[in-house]
Amino acid sequence: MLVTVVALLSLGGFWLGTRAAGYAHAGQPPSLPWVEVREGDTLGSIAGAVAHPGEDPGAVAAGIRRLNGLRGKLVRPGTRLYVPGGSVTPLQQGQ
């Protein structure tokens, strides 16, 4: 009986977590700059491309992870990533 209760509570927690992650992306302002991940891109290379001169790419990568609700550093080609700041050139931007 206890195992069943713990299993149901765990499943409920996972379900709520996936629901919250979906709402995180829905609340993004449409004017926020974004990039589309291309084959061979890494979070570090994207952060380096969108960082302002003198800005730490590691801090930018952490901002990208936080802004997009990413748990790790892996990104998939075709994914739209919102980026902090606002200086994304049209060549870099996926729009």
Side-chain angles (χ1 to χ4, degrees):
M1 175 73 175
L2 180 61
V3 173
T4 304
V5 171
V6 171
L8 288 174
L9 288 174
S10 296
L11 288 174
F14 288 130
W15 180 77
L16 287 175
T18 59
R19 302 285 298 169
Y23 288 119
H25 292 290
Q28 299 296 338
S31 63
L32 197 62
W34 57 274
V35 295
E36 185 172 323
V37 179
R38 298 180 185 147
E39 190 71 37
D41 282 348
T42 64
L43 190 58
S45 68
I46 293 169
V50 301
H52 296 289
E55 191 173 17
D56 177 23
V60 174
I64 293 171
R65 280 198 318 270
R66 192 171 36 256
L67 191 60
N68 292 279
L70 301 176
R71 293 182 182 174
K73 296 181 180 183
L74 296 177
V75 291
R76 295 182 189 173
T79 302
R80 178 184 292 191
L81 291 178
Y82 293 98
V83 295
S87 65
V88 178
T89 66
L91 185 59
Q92 296 168 323
Q93 192 168 6
Q95 294 180 347

Coordinates of all heavy atoms in Angstrom, one line a residue:
M1 N 0.8 -1.2 0.0 CA 0.0 0.0 0.0 C 0.9 1.3 0.0 O 0.6 2.2 -0.7 CB -0.9 0.0 1.2 CG -1.7 1.2 1.4 SD -3.0 1.2 0.2 CE -3.9 2.6 0.7
L2 N 1.9 1.3 0.8 CA 2.8 2.4 0.9 C 3.5 2.6 -0.4 O 3.7 3.8 -0.8 CB 3.8 2.2 2.1 CG 4.8 3.4 2.3 CD1 4.0 4.7 2.6 CD2 5.7 3.0 3.4
V3 N 3.9 1.6 -1.0 CA 4.6 1.7 -2.3 C 3.7 2.3 -3.4 O 4.1 3.1 -4.2 CB 5.1 0.3 -2.8 CG1 5.7 0.3 -4.2 CG2 6.1 -0.3 -1.8
T4 N 2.5 1.9 -3.4 CA 1.5 2.5 -4.3 C 1.3 4.0 -4.1 O 1.3 4.7 -5.1 CB 0.1 1.7 -4.2 OG1 0.3 0.3 -4.4 CG2 -0.9 2.2 -5.2
V5 N 1.2 4.4 -2.9 CA 1.0 5.8 -2.6 C 2.3 6.6 -3.0 O 2.1 7.7 -3.6 CB 0.7 6.0 -1.0 CG1 0.8 7.5 -0.7 CG2 -0.6 5.4 -0.7
V6 N 3.4 6.1 -2.7 CA 4.7 6.8 -3.1 C 4.8 6.8 -4.6 O 5.2 7.9 -5.2 CB 5.9 6.1 -2.5 CG1 7.2 6.6 -3.0 CG2 5.9 6.2 -1.0
A7 N 4.4 5.8 -5.3 CA 4.5 5.8 -6.8 C 3.5 6.8 -7.4 O 3.9 7.5 -8.3 CB 4.2 4.4 -7.3
L8 N 2.3 6.8 -6.8 CA 1.3 7.8 -7.3 C 1.8 9.3 -7.1 O 1.6 10.1 -7.9 CB 0.0 7.6 -6.7 CG -0.8 6.3 -7.2 CD1 -2.0 6.1 -6.4 CD2 -1.0 6.4 -8.7
L9 N 2.3 9.5 -5.9 CA 2.9 10.8 -5.6 C 4.0 11.2 -6.5 O 4.1 12.4 -7.0 CB 3.3 10.9 -4.1 CG 2.1 11.0 -3.1 CD1 2.7 10.9 -1.7 CD2 1.3 12.2 -3.3
S10 N 4.9 10.3 -6.8 CA 6.0 10.5 -7.7 C 5.5 10.8 -9.1 O 6.0 11.8 -9.8 CB 6.9 9.3 -7.7 OG 7.5 9.1 -6.5
L11 N 4.6 10.0 -9.6 CA 4.0 10.3 -10.9 C 3.3 11.6 -11.0 O 3.4 12.3 -12.0 CB 3.1 9.2 -11.3 CG 3.7 7.8 -11.6 CD1 2.6 6.7 -11.9 CD2 4.6 7.9 -12.9
G12 N 2.6 12.0 -10.0 CA 2.0 13.3 -9.9 C 3.0 14.4 -9.9 O 2.8 15.4 -10.6
G13 N 4.1 14.3 -9.2 CA 5.1 15.3 -9.3 C 5.8 15.4 -10.6 O 6.0 16.5 -11.1
F14 N 6.0 14.3 -11.3 CA 6.6 14.3 -12.6 C 5.6 15.0 -13.6 O 6.0 15.8 -14.4 CB 6.9 12.9 -13.2 CG 8.1 12.3 -12.5 CD1 8.0 11.0 -12.0 CD2 9.3 13.0 -12.4 CE1 9.1 10.4 -11.4 CE2 10.4 12.4 -11.8 CZ 10.3 11.1 -11.3
W15 N 4.3 14.7 -13.5 CA 3.3 15.3 -14.3 C 3.3 16.8 -14.1 O 3.3 17.6 -15.1 CB 2.0 14.7 -14.1 CG 0.9 15.3 -14.9 CD1 0.7 15.0 -16.2 CD2 -0.1 16.2 -14.6 NE1 -0.4 15.7 -16.7 CE2 -0.9 16.5 -15.7 CE3 -0.3 16.9 -13.4 CZ2 -1.9 17.4 -15.7 CZ3 -1.4 17.8 -13.4 CH2 -2.2 18.1 -14.5
L16 N 3.3 17.3 -12.9 CA 3.3 18.7 -12.6 C 4.5 19.4 -13.1 O 4.5 20.5 -13.6 CB 3.1 19.0 -11.1 CG 1.7 18.7 -10.5 CD1 1.8 18.8 -9.0 CD2 0.7 19.6 -11.1
G17 N 5.7 18.7 -13.0 CA 6.9 19.3 -13.5 C 6.9 19.5 -15.0 O 7.4 20.5 -15.6
T18 N 6.3 18.5 -15.8 CA 6.2 18.7 -17.2 C 5.2 19.8 -17.6 O 5.4 20.5 -18.6 CB 5.8 17.3 -17.9 OG1 4.6 16.9 -17.4 CG2 6.9 16.3 -17.7
R19 N 4.2 19.9 -16.8 CA 3.2 21.0 -17.1 C 3.9 22.4 -16.9 O 3.7 23.3 -17.6 CB 2.0 20.8 -16.2 CG 1.2 19.5 -16.3 CD 0.5 19.4 -17.6 NE -0.6 20.5 -17.6 CZ -1.3 20.8 -18.6 NH1 -1.1 20.2 -19.8 NH2 -2.2 21.8 -18.6
A20 N 4.7 22.5 -15.8 CA 5.3 23.8 -15.5 C 6.3 24.1 -16.6 O 6.4 25.3 -17.0 CB 6.0 23.7 -14.1
A21 N 7.1 23.1 -17.1 CA 8.0 23.4 -18.1 C 7.4 23.9 -19.4 O 7.9 24.8 -20.1 CB 8.8 22.2 -18.4
G22 N 6.2 23.4 -19.7 CA 5.5 23.9 -20.9 C 5.0 25.3 -20.8 O 5.1 26.0 -21.7
Y23 N 4.6 25.7 -19.6 CA 4.2 27.1 -19.4 C 5.4 28.1 -19.4 O 5.2 29.2 -19.7 CB 3.4 27.2 -18.1 CG 2.1 26.6 -18.1 CD1 1.7 25.5 -17.3 CD2 1.1 27.0 -19.1 CE1 0.5 24.9 -17.4 CE2 -0.1 26.4 -19.1 CZ -0.4 25.4 -18.3 OH -1.7 24.8 -18.4
A24 N 6.6 27.6 -19.1 CA 7.7 28.5 -19.1 C 8.0 29.1 -20.5 O 8.2 30.2 -20.6 CB 9.0 27.8 -18.6
H25 N 7.8 28.2 -21.5 CA 8.0 28.7 -22.9 C 6.9 29.5 -23.4 O 7.0 30.4 -24.2 CB 8.3 27.5 -23.8 CG 9.6 26.9 -23.5 ND1 10.8 27.5 -23.7 CD2 9.9 25.7 -22.9 CE1 11.8 26.7 -23.4 NE2 11.3 25.6 -22.9
A26 N 5.7 29.2 -22.9 CA 4.5 29.9 -23.4 C 4.5 31.4 -23.0 O 3.9 32.2 -23.6 CB 3.2 29.2 -22.9
G27 N 5.2 31.7 -21.9 CA 5.2 33.1 -21.3 C 6.2 34.0 -21.9 O 6.4 35.1 -21.5
Q28 N 7.0 33.5 -22.9 CA 8.1 34.3 -23.4 C 7.5 35.4 -24.3 O 6.7 35.2 -25.1 CB 9.1 33.5 -24.2 CG 9.7 32.3 -23.5 CD 10.6 32.8 -22.4 OE1 11.1 34.0 -22.4 NE2 10.9 32.0 -21.4
P29 N 8.0 36.6 -24.1 CA 7.6 37.7 -25.0 C 8.0 37.5 -26.4 O 9.1 37.0 -26.6 CB 8.3 39.0 -24.4 CG 9.0 38.6 -23.2 CD 9.0 37.1 -23.1
P30 N 7.1 37.8 -27.4 CA 7.5 37.5 -28.8 C 8.6 38.4 -29.3 O 9.3 38.0 -30.2 CB 6.2 37.8 -29.5 CG 5.4 38.6 -28.6 CD 5.8 38.3 -27.2
S31 N 8.9 39.5 -28.6 CA 10.0 40.3 -29.1 C 11.4 39.9 -28.6 O 12.4 40.6 -28.9 CB 9.7 41.8 -28.7 OG 9.7 41.9 -27.3
L32 N 11.4 38.9 -27.7 CA 12.7 38.5 -27.2 C 13.5 37.8 -28.3 O 13.0 37.0 -29.1 CB 12.4 37.5 -26.1 CG 13.6 37.1 -25.1 CD1 14.0 38.4 -24.4 CD2 13.1 36.1 -24.1
P33 N 14.8 38.2 -28.4 CA 15.6 37.6 -29.5 C 15.8 36.1 -29.3 O 15.9 35.6 -28.2 CB 16.9 38.4 -29.4 CG 17.0 39.0 -28.1 CD 15.6 39.1 -27.6
W34 N 15.9 35.4 -30.4 CA 16.1 34.0 -30.3 C 17.0 33.5 -31.5 O 17.2 34.3 -32.5 CB 14.8 33.2 -30.4 CG 13.9 33.5 -31.6 CD1 13.1 34.6 -31.7 CD2 13.9 32.8 -32.8 NE1 12.5 34.5 -32.9 CE2 13.0 33.4 -33.6 CE3 14.6 31.7 -33.3 CZ2 12.7 33.0 -34.9 CZ3 14.3 31.3 -34.6 CH2 13.4 31.9 -35.4
V35 N 17.6 32.4 -31.3 CA 18.4 31.7 -32.4 C 17.9 30.3 -32.6 O 17.3 29.7 -31.6 CB 19.9 31.7 -32.0 CG1 20.5 33.1 -31.9 CG2 20.1 30.9 -30.7
E36 N 18.0 29.8 -33.8 CA 17.7 28.4 -34.0 C 19.0 27.6 -34.0 O 20.0 28.0 -34.7 CB 17.0 28.3 -35.4 CG 16.5 26.9 -35.6 CD 15.7 26.8 -36.9 OE1 14.9 27.7 -37.2 OE2 15.8 25.7 -37.6
V37 N 19.0 26.6 -33.2 CA 20.1 25.7 -33.1 C 20.4 25.0 -34.4 O 19.4 24.4 -35.0 CB 20.0 24.7 -31.9 CG1 21.2 23.8 -31.8 CG2 19.7 25.4 -30.6
R38 N 21.6 25.0 -34.9 CA 22.0 24.3 -36.1 C 22.8 23.1 -35.8 O 23.4 23.0 -34.7 CB 22.7 25.3 -37.1 CG 21.9 26.5 -37.5 CD 22.7 27.4 -38.4 NE 21.9 28.6 -38.7 CZ 22.4 29.8 -38.9 NH1 23.7 30.0 -38.8 NH2 21.6 30.8 -39.1
E39 N 23.0 22.2 -36.8 CA 23.8 21.1 -36.6 C 25.2 21.5 -36.2 O 25.8 22.4 -36.9 CB 23.8 20.3 -37.9 CG 24.5 18.9 -37.8 CD 23.6 17.9 -37.0 OE1 22.4 18.0 -37.1 OE2 24.2 17.1 -36.2
G40 N 25.8 20.9 -35.2 CA 27.1 21.3 -34.7 C 27.2 22.4 -33.7 O 28.2 22.6 -33.1
D41 N 26.1 23.1 -33.5 CA 26.0 24.1 -32.5 C 26.1 23.5 -31.1 O 25.6 22.4 -30.8 CB 24.8 25.0 -32.5 CG 24.8 26.0 -33.7 OD1 25.9 26.2 -34.3 OD2 23.7 26.6 -34.0
T42 N 26.7 24.2 -30.2 CA 26.7 23.9 -28.7 C 26.2 25.1 -28.0 O 26.2 26.2 -28.5 CB 28.1 23.5 -28.2 OG1 29.0 24.7 -28.3 CG2 28.7 22.4 -29.0
L43 N 25.8 24.9 -26.7 CA 25.4 26.0 -25.9 C 26.5 27.0 -25.8 O 26.3 28.2 -25.9 CB 25.0 25.5 -24.6 CG 24.2 26.5 -23.7 CD1 23.0 27.1 -24.4 CD2 23.9 25.9 -22.4
G44 N 27.8 26.5 -25.7 CA 28.9 27.4 -25.6 C 29.2 28.3 -26.8 O 29.5 29.4 -26.8
S45 N 29.0 27.6 -28.0 CA 29.2 28.3 -29.3 C 28.1 29.4 -29.5 O 28.4 30.5 -30.0 CB 29.3 27.4 -30.4 OG 28.1 26.8 -30.7
I46 N 26.9 29.0 -29.1 CA 25.8 30.0 -29.3 C 26.0 31.2 -28.3 O 25.9 32.3 -28.7 CB 24.5 29.3 -29.0 CG1 24.2 28.3 -30.1 CG2 23.3 30.4 -28.9 CD1 23.0 27.4 -29.8
A47 N 26.4 30.9 -27.1 CA 26.7 31.9 -26.1 C 27.8 32.8 -26.6 O 27.7 34.1 -26.4 CB 27.0 31.3 -24.7
G48 N 28.8 32.3 -27.1 CA 30.0 33.1 -27.6 C 29.5 34.0 -28.8 O 30.0 35.1 -28.9
A49 N 28.6 33.5 -29.6 CA 28.2 34.2 -30.8 C 27.3 35.4 -30.4 O 27.2 36.4 -31.1 CB 27.4 33.3 -31.7
V50 N 26.5 35.3 -29.3 CA 25.5 36.3 -29.0 C 26.0 37.2 -27.8 O 25.4 38.2 -27.5 CB 24.1 35.7 -28.6 CG1 23.6 35.0 -29.8 CG2 24.2 34.9 -27.4
A51 N 27.2 36.8 -27.2 CA 27.7 37.6 -26.1 C 28.2 39.0 -26.6 O 28.7 39.1 -27.7 CB 28.8 36.9 -25.4
H52 N 28.0 40.0 -25.8 CA 28.5 41.3 -26.1 C 30.0 41.3 -25.9 O 30.5 40.5 -25.2 CB 27.9 42.4 -25.1 CG 26.4 42.6 -25.3 ND1 25.8 43.1 -26.4 CD2 25.4 42.2 -24.4 CE1 24.5 43.2 -26.2 NE2 24.2 42.6 -25.0
P53 N 30.7 42.2 -26.6 CA 32.2 42.3 -26.4 C 32.6 42.4 -24.9 O 32.0 43.3 -24.2 CB 32.6 43.5 -27.2 CG 31.5 43.6 -28.3 CD 30.3 43.2 -27.6
G54 N 33.4 41.6 -24.5 CA 33.9 41.6 -23.1 C 33.0 40.9 -22.1 O 33.3 40.8 -20.9
E55 N 31.8 40.4 -22.6 CA 30.9 39.6 -21.7 C 31.4 38.2 -21.6 O 31.8 37.6 -22.6 CB 29.5 39.7 -22.3 CG 28.4 39.2 -21.4 CD 27.0 39.5 -22.0 OE1 26.9 39.8 -23.2 OE2 26.1 39.5 -21.2
D56 N 31.2 37.6 -20.5 CA 31.6 36.2 -20.2 C 30.7 35.3 -20.9 O 29.5 35.2 -20.5 CB 31.7 36.0 -18.7 CG 32.0 34.5 -18.4 OD1 32.6 33.8 -19.2 OD2 31.7 34.1 -17.3
P57 N 31.1 34.5 -21.9 CA 30.2 33.5 -22.6 C 29.6 32.5 -21.6 O 28.5 32.0 -21.8 CB 31.1 32.9 -23.6 CG 32.2 33.8 -23.9 CD 32.4 34.5 -22.5
G58 N 30.4 32.2 -20.6 CA 29.8 31.2 -19.6 C 28.6 31.8 -18.9 O 27.6 31.0 -18.6
A59 N 28.7 33.0 -18.6 CA 27.5 33.7 -17.9 C 26.3 33.8 -18.9 O 25.2 33.6 -18.5 CB 27.9 35.1 -17.4
V60 N 26.6 34.0 -20.2 CA 25.6 34.1 -21.2 C 25.0 32.7 -21.4 O 23.7 32.6 -21.5 CB 26.2 34.6 -22.5 CG1 25.1 34.6 -23.6 CG2 26.7 36.1 -22.4
A61 N 25.8 31.7 -21.4 CA 25.3 30.3 -21.5 C 24.4 30.0 -20.3 O 23.3 29.4 -20.5 CB 26.4 29.3 -21.6
A62 N 24.8 30.4 -19.1 CA 23.9 30.2 -17.9 C 22.6 30.9 -18.1 O 21.5 30.4 -17.7 CB 24.6 30.6 -16.7
G63 N 22.6 32.1 -18.6 CA 21.4 32.9 -18.9 C 20.5 32.2 -19.9 O 19.3 32.2 -19.7
I64 N 21.1 31.7 -20.9 CA 20.3 31.0 -22.0 C 19.6 29.7 -21.3 O 18.5 29.5 -21.6 CB 21.2 30.6 -23.2 CG1 21.7 31.8 -23.9 CG2 20.4 29.6 -24.1 CD1 22.7 31.5 -25.0
R65 N 20.4 29.0 -20.5 CA 19.8 27.8 -19.9 C 18.6 28.2 -19.0 O 17.6 27.6 -19.0 CB 20.9 27.1 -19.0 CG 21.8 26.2 -19.9 CD 22.5 25.2 -19.0 NE 23.0 25.6 -17.8 CZ 24.3 26.2 -17.6 NH1 25.1 26.3 -18.6 NH2 24.7 26.6 -16.4
R66 N 18.8 29.3 -18.2 CA 17.8 29.7 -17.3 C 16.6 30.2 -18.0 O 15.4 29.9 -17.7 CB 18.4 30.8 -16.4 CG 17.6 31.2 -15.2 CD 18.3 32.2 -14.3 NE 19.2 33.2 -14.9 CZ 20.5 33.1 -14.9 NH1 21.1 32.0 -14.4 NH2 21.3 34.0 -15.5
L67 N 16.8 31.0 -19.1 CA 15.7 31.6 -19.8 C 14.9 30.6 -20.6 O 13.7 30.7 -20.7 CB 16.3 32.6 -20.9 CG 15.4 33.5 -21.6 CD1 14.6 34.4 -20.7 CD2 16.2 34.4 -22.6
N68 N 15.5 29.5 -21.0 CA 14.8 28.4 -21.7 C 14.4 27.2 -20.9 O 13.9 26.3 -21.5 CB 15.6 28.0 -22.9 CG 15.8 29.1 -24.0 OD1 14.9 29.3 -24.8 ND2 16.8 29.9 -23.9
G69 N 14.7 27.3 -19.6 CA 14.4 26.1 -18.8 C 15.2 24.9 -19.1 O 14.7 23.8 -18.9
L70 N 16.4 25.0 -19.6 CA 17.3 23.9 -19.9 C 17.9 23.4 -18.6 O 18.4 24.2 -17.8 CB 18.4 24.3 -20.9 CG 17.9 24.8 -22.2 CD1 19.1 25.2 -23.1 CD2 17.1 23.8 -22.9
R71 N 18.0 22.1 -18.5 CA 18.6 21.5 -17.3 C 20.1 21.2 -17.5 O 20.9 21.2 -16.6 CB 17.9 20.2 -16.9 CG 16.5 20.5 -16.4 CD 15.8 19.3 -15.9 NE 14.5 19.6 -15.5 CZ 13.5 18.8 -15.1 NH1 13.8 17.5 -15.2 NH2 12.4 19.2 -14.8
G72 N 20.4 20.9 -18.8 CA 21.8 20.5 -19.1 C 22.4 21.5 -20.2 O 21.8 22.5 -20.5
K73 N 23.5 21.0 -20.8 CA 24.1 21.8 -21.8 C 23.8 21.4 -23.2 O 24.3 22.0 -24.1 CB 25.6 21.8 -21.5 CG 26.0 22.5 -20.2 CD 27.5 22.5 -20.0 CE 27.9 23.1 -18.7 NZ 29.3 23.2 -18.5
L74 N 23.1 20.3 -23.3 CA 22.9 19.7 -24.7 C 21.7 20.5 -25.3 O 20.7 20.8 -24.7 CB 22.5 18.3 -24.6 CG 23.6 17.3 -24.1 CD1 23.1 15.9 -24.0 CD2 24.8 17.4 -25.0
V75 N 21.9 20.8 -26.6 CA 20.9 21.5 -27.4 C 20.7 20.7 -28.7 O 21.6 20.1 -29.2 CB 21.2 22.9 -27.7 CG1 21.1 23.8 -26.4 CG2 22.6 23.1 -28.3
R76 N 19.5 20.6 -29.2 CA 19.2 19.9 -30.4 C 19.0 20.8 -31.6 O 18.4 21.9 -31.5 CB 17.9 19.1 -30.2 CG 18.0 18.0 -29.2 CD 16.7 17.3 -29.1 NE 16.7 16.4 -27.9 CZ 15.7 15.7 -27.5 NH1 14.5 15.8 -28.1 NH2 15.8 15.0 -26.4
P77 N 19.5 20.4 -32.8 CA 19.3 21.2 -34.0 C 17.8 21.4 -34.2 O 17.0 20.5 -34.0 CB 19.9 20.3 -35.1 CG 20.9 19.5 -34.4 CD 20.3 19.2 -33.0
G78 N 17.4 22.6 -34.6 CA 16.1 22.9 -34.9 C 15.4 23.6 -33.7 O 14.3 24.1 -33.9
T79 N 16.0 23.5 -32.6 CA 15.4 24.1 -31.4 C 15.5 25.6 -31.4 O 16.6 26.1 -31.8 CB 16.0 23.6 -30.1 OG1 15.9 22.1 -30.1 CG2 15.4 24.1 -28.8
R80 N 14.5 26.3 -31.0 CA 14.5 27.8 -30.9 C 15.0 28.1 -29.4 O 14.3 27.7 -28.5 CB 13.2 28.4 -31.2 CG 13.2 29.9 -31.0 CD 11.8 30.5 -31.2 NE 11.4 30.4 -32.6 CZ 10.4 31.0 -33.1 NH1 9.6 31.7 -32.4 NH2 10.1 30.8 -34.4
L81 N 16.0 28.8 -29.3 CA 16.5 29.2 -28.0 C 16.4 30.8 -27.8 O 16.9 31.5 -28.7 CB 18.0 28.8 -27.8 CG 18.3 27.4 -27.6 CD1 19.8 27.2 -27.5 CD2 17.6 26.8 -26.5
Y82 N 15.7 31.2 -26.8 CA 15.7 32.6 -26.5 C 17.0 33.0 -25.8 O 17.6 32.2 -25.1 CB 14.5 32.9 -25.6 CG 13.2 32.7 -26.2 CD1 12.5 31.5 -26.0 CD2 12.6 33.7 -27.1 CE1 11.3 31.3 -26.7 CE2 11.4 33.5 -27.7 CZ 10.7 32.3 -27.5 OH 9.6 32.1 -28.2
V83 N 17.5 34.2 -26.2 CA 18.8 34.6 -25.7 C 18.6 35.9 -24.9 O 17.8 36.8 -25.3 CB 19.8 34.8 -26.8 CG1 20.1 33.4 -27.4 CG2 19.4 35.7 -27.9
P84 N 19.4 36.1 -23.8 CA 19.3 37.3 -23.1 C 20.0 38.5 -23.8 O 20.8 38.2 -24.7 CB 20.1 37.0 -21.8 CG 21.0 35.9 -22.2 CD 20.3 35.1 -23.3
G85 N 19.7 39.6 -23.4 CA 20.4 40.8 -24.0 C 19.6 41.4 -25.1 O 18.6 42.1 -24.8
G86 N 19.9 41.2 -26.3 CA 19.2 41.8 -27.4 C 20.0 42.1 -28.6 O 19.5 42.7 -29.5
S87 N 21.3 41.8 -28.6 CA 22.1 42.1 -29.7 C 22.4 40.8 -30.5 O 23.5 40.2 -30.5 CB 23.5 42.7 -29.3 OG 24.2 41.7 -28.6
V88 N 21.4 40.3 -31.2 CA 21.5 39.2 -32.1 C 21.4 39.7 -33.5 O 20.4 40.3 -33.9 CB 20.4 38.1 -31.8 CG1 20.5 37.0 -32.8 CG2 20.5 37.7 -30.4
T89 N 22.4 39.5 -34.3 CA 22.4 40.0 -35.7 C 21.4 39.2 -36.5 O 21.1 38.0 -36.2 CB 23.8 39.9 -36.3 OG1 24.1 38.5 -36.4 CG2 24.8 40.6 -35.5
P90 N 20.9 39.7 -37.6 CA 19.9 39.0 -38.4 C 20.5 37.7 -38.9 O 19.8 36.7 -39.1 CB 19.6 40.0 -39.6 CG 19.9 41.3 -39.0 CD 21.0 41.1 -38.0
L91 N 21.8 37.6 -39.2 CA 22.4 36.4 -39.6 C 22.4 35.3 -38.6 O 22.2 34.2 -38.9 CB 23.9 36.7 -40.0 CG 24.6 35.5 -40.7 CD1 23.9 35.1 -41.9 CD2 26.1 35.9 -41.0
Q92 N 22.5 35.7 -37.3 CA 22.5 34.7 -36.2 C 21.0 34.4 -35.9 O 20.8 33.3 -35.4 CB 23.2 35.3 -35.0 CG 24.6 35.6 -35.1 CD 25.1 36.4 -34.0 OE1 24.5 37.3 -33.5 NE2 26.4 36.1 -33.6
Q93 N 20.1 35.4 -36.0 CA 18.8 35.2 -35.5 C 18.0 34.3 -36.4 O 18.1 34.3 -37.6 CB 18.1 36.5 -35.4 CG 16.8 36.5 -34.6 CD 16.3 37.8 -34.3 OE1 16.8 38.8 -34.7 NE2 15.2 37.9 -33.5
G94 N 17.2 33.4 -35.8 CA 16.4 32.5 -36.6 C 15.1 33.1 -37.2 O 14.4 32.4 -37.8
Q95 N 14.9 34.4 -37.0 CA 13.6 35.0 -37.5 C 13.7 35.3 -39.0 O 14.7 35.5 -39.5 CB 13.3 36.2 -36.7 CG 13.0 36.0 -35.3 CD 12.7 37.2 -34.5 OE1 12.9 38.3 -35.0 NE2 12.2 37.1 -33.3

